[in-house]
């Protein structure tokens, strides 16, 4: 009896030791300590998907593994005067068996920042976790449109910069300067022109898509939108002002703003004798060549009245052509390209759709009558639907066909139909305009977003 009691006691003791060992192992596994080296590798990183803008609460996140939220206590940290602490939150991360800490900061100015490490108590030990560097910019939706002049060597000049007295560049005479006019924080460009500088060769070498009065999707960004590229060659040493560029643009808020580039200075320096002797022929040959290119450029925007009338005739044929519509459109595009004009991406409403609508209506009526006689209800219904569609297309075509367009020979447009009225804008020769009203000897025309009155003699009608 005593022997059996001892055996039961030994078995109970073994079971107790096994349970105790299991509890010890499980407790040890949950009570892992995070090392100092692991903490040094941790970083607060900005949360993905948020816009890093000034005066906006930005979230930074870090996950501390193998530590419970009750074992973490965040201490106060001093930051730069441009960084304002907003709030903090910690939570359990069951996926990584750790604690996630989220902290929000607000940045007053744009620039690159690295916030000071955040001190905290982790498992009763004082530690600190650093931040990843972050670049903060101004919210582009709050910015007004501006001109950005970019030179080929990377220098950029902004129209809203303070005007300085020192030259922004020093260039030897005879050397070509390549620069690009860009627009920033805008959705549409409605007008663009510039002044020609003296004692130099100044040529527009390229105009980009944005000059076509095309509306851009309203996506707020800091991206520069190229408008036109130029080449500038100074012939006489001395200080010269950068040519005045004038742009009318529509900002993100829908307001139309007139922009003008301030008179920044460029210093043309005397080139060496060897350079002058080597480049003298090239400079003057380039002068004659670029003068010819410049004449072509003016010809592209200032066509003669006869050329404008010819272009209007091409548009008229394209507008009224039926079977040979693709050929008429191709001829009009070829003529525009030969004149150096930017080919319009939106052609005038073609009459071919009007004729197609009539054919659809006539065909649907004939087949509907046949289907009714043969007592095909489904076919009859299908042709009735086709007839309704054809009538809708015909009505739409009739409305669009009555729109009036013309080719401007180059003129000023006014706020009211009077010659002594205030000039609103200028329209270059060869521009296609929409005619909205007609009063006496005056047309009210629309070019892009700009509208005004002009004399009927300045418009070649597209019939």
């Amino acid at each position: 009896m005593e022997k059996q009691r001892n055996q039961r006691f030994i078995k109970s003791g073994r079971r107790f030791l096994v349970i105790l060992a299991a509890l010890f192992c499980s407790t040890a596994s949950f009570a892992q300590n995070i090392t100092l080296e692991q903490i040094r590798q941790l970083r607060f990183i900005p949360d993905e998907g948020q816009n890093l803008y000034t005066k906006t609460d930005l979230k930074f996140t870090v996950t501390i593994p193998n530590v419970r939220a009750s074992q973490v206590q965040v201490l106060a940290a001093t930051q730069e005067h441009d960084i304002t602490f907003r709030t903090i939150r910690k939570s359990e991360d069951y996926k990584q068996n750790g604690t996630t800490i989220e902290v929000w900061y607000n940045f007053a100015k744009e620039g690159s920042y690295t916030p000071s490490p955040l001190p905290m108590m982790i498992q009763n030990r004082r530690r600190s976790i650093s931040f990843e560097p972050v670049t903060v910019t101004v919210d582009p939706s709050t910015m007004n449109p501006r001109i950005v002049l970019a030179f080929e060597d990377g220098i950029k000049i902004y129209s809203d910069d303070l005007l300085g007295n020192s030259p922004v560049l020093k260039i030897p005479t005879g050397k070509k300067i390549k620069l690009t006019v860009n627009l920033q924080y805008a959705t549409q460009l409605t007008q663009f022109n510039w002044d020609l500088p003296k004692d130099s060769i100044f040529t527009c070498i390229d105009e980009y898509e944005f000059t076509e009065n095309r509306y851009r999707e309203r996506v707020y960004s800091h991206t520069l939108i190229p408008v036109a590229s130029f080449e500038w060659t100074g012939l006489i040493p001395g200080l010269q002002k950068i040519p005045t560029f004038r742009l009318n643009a529509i900002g993100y808020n829908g307001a139309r703003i007139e922009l003008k580039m301030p008179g920044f200075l460029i210093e043309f320096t005397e080139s060496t004798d060897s350079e002058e002797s080597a480049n003298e022929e090239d400079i003057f040959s380039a002068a004659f060549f670029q003068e010819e290119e410049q004449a072509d450029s003016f010809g592209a925007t200032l066509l003669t009245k006869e050329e404008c009338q010819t272009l209007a005739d091409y548009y008229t044929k394209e507008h009224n052509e039926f079977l040979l519509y693709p050929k008429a459109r191709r001829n009009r595009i070829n003529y525009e390209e030969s004149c150096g004009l930017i080919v319009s991406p939106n052609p005038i409403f073609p009459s071919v759709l009007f004729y197609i609508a009539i054919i659809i209506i006539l065909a649907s009526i004939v087949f509907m009558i046949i289907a009714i006689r043969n007592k095909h209800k489904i076919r009859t219904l299908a042709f009735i639907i086709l007839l309704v569609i054809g009538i809708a297309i015909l009505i739409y075509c009739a409305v669009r066909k009555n729109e009036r367009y013309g080719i401007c020979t180059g003129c000023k447009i006014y706020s009211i139909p009077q010659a002594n009225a205030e000039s609103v804008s200028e329209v270059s020769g060869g521009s296609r305009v929409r005619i909205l009203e007609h009063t006496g000897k005056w047309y009210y025309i629309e070019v892009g977003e700009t509208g005004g009155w002009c004399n009927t003699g300045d418009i070649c009608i597209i019939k």
Side-chain angles (χ1 to χ4, degrees), residues 358-374 379-380 383-384 386-387:
I358 294 176
I359 293 173
I360 291 174
I361 293 172
L362 294 177
S364 59
I365 291 174
V366 172
F367 287 112
M368 184 179 65
I369 294 173
I370 296 173
I372 292 173
R373 287 184 177 180
N374 295 331
R379 293 181 182 178
T380 302
F383 289 122
I384 290 174
L386 185 62
L387 176 62

Side-chain angles (χ1 to χ4, degrees), residues 181 216 462:
V181 179
R216 290 174 60 91
I462 298 174

Side-chain angles (χ1 to χ4, degrees), residues 383-433:
F383 289 122
I384 290 174
I385 294 174
L386 185 62
L387 176 62
V388 172
I389 294 173
I391 293 173
I393 297 175
L394 182 65
I395 295 173
Y396 172 75
C397 294
V399 173
R400 291 293 308 273
K401 190 175 173 62
N402 288 329
E403 293 177 350
R404 300 184 66 191
Y405 289 87
I407 302 298
C408 181
T409 60
C411 65
K412 292 183 179 181
I413 57 178
Y414 302 92
S415 57
I416 57 177
Q418 292 183 5
N420 57 355
E422 179 183 1
S423 175
V424 176
S425 181
E426 292 185 7
V427 182
S428 58
S431 299
R432 192 187 73 189
V433 299

Side-chain angles (χ1 to χ4, degrees), residues 107-285:
F107 298 84
K109 299 179 181 178
E110 62 178 335
S112 297
Y113 294 90
T114 303
S116 302
L118 191 64
M120 58 186 69
M121 296 295 294
I122 303 176
Q123 295 177 338
N124 295 323
R125 291 181 176 86
R126 186 180 178 88
R127 300 285 187 253
S128 62
I129 299 179
S130 301
F131 285 77
E132 286 286 344
V134 62
T135 300
V136 183
T137 61
V138 179
D139 187 353
S141 64
T142 63
M143 301 295 291
N144 290 323
R146 66 177 179 179
I147 305 172
V148 182
L149 217 59
F151 293 87
E152 58 181 340
D153 57 0
I155 295 177
K156 291 184 175 65
I157 304 174
Y158 302 88
S159 59
D160 53 0
D161 282 346
L162 295 177
L163 189 62
N165 295 324
S166 58
V168 295
L169 279 176
K170 291 185 179 181
I171 303 294
T173 55
K175 181 180 178 180
K176 293 181 180 179
I177 308 172
K178 292 185 179 180
L179 56 98
T180 301
V181 179
N182 301 279
L183 193 57
Q184 196 175 23
Y185 311 127
T187 59
Q188 189 175 11
L189 174 66
T190 59
Q191 188 177 4
F192 173 50
N193 56 62
W194 61 89
D195 294 338
L196 294 175
K198 298 179 180 179
D199 301 324
S200 59
I201 304 168
F202 190 75
T203 308
C204 179
I205 58 176
D206 199 1
E207 288 192 10
Y208 299 94
E209 178 182 333
F210 204 44
T211 59
E212 299 178 5
N213 294 337
R214 184 176 298 180
Y215 185 82
R216 290 174 60 91
E217 184 179 356
R218 187 174 297 182
V219 177
Y220 304 123
S221 71
H222 299 283
T223 304
L224 299 182
I225 308 166
V227 176
S229 295
F230 296 86
E231 282 185 352
W232 188 11
T233 305
L235 302 178
I236 298 177
L239 293 174
Q240 281 207 42
K241 288 185 178 181
I242 291 178
T244 302
F245 297 98
R246 300 181 185 86
L247 293 86
N248 285 343
I250 297 177
Y252 288 144
N253 59 358
R256 182 177 300 174
I257 298 177
E258 183 177 355
L259 303 173
K260 184 178 178 181
M261 199 70 193
F264 291 100
L265 298 176
I266 286 185
E267 182 178 358
F268 288 102
T269 60
E270 189 77 42
S271 59
T272 60
D273 295 336
S274 58
E275 289 178 345
E276 288 183 356
S277 59
N279 297 329
E280 183 177 2
E281 182 178 353
D282 293 338
I283 294 173
F284 286 101
S285 62

Side-chain angles (χ1 to χ4, degrees), residues 431-444:
S431 299
R432 192 187 73 189
V433 299
R434 183 181 177 187
I435 303 171
L436 299 180
E437 294 184 40
H438 181 201
T439 301
K441 295 183 179 180
W442 294 88
Y443 284 138
Y444 185 87

Side-chain angles (χ1 to χ4, degrees), residues 62-106:
V62 69
T63 299
I64 307 173
N66 304 320
V67 174
R68 296 172 184 166
S70 59
Q71 296 175 312
V72 179
Q73 181 183 0
V74 181
L75 306 177
T78 57
Q79 297 289 348
E80 301 178 27
H81 64 277
D82 291 332
I83 305 177
T84 304
F85 169 77
R86 288 301 189 189
T87 186
I88 193 169
R89 183 178 68 181
K90 62 178 180 178
S91 59
E92 297 280 356
D93 190 330
Y94 296 103
K95 292 183 179 180
Q96 299 188 23
N97 189 28
T99 299
T100 297
I101 299 177
E102 299 170 335
V103 59
W104 281 264
Y105 285 115
N106 190 290

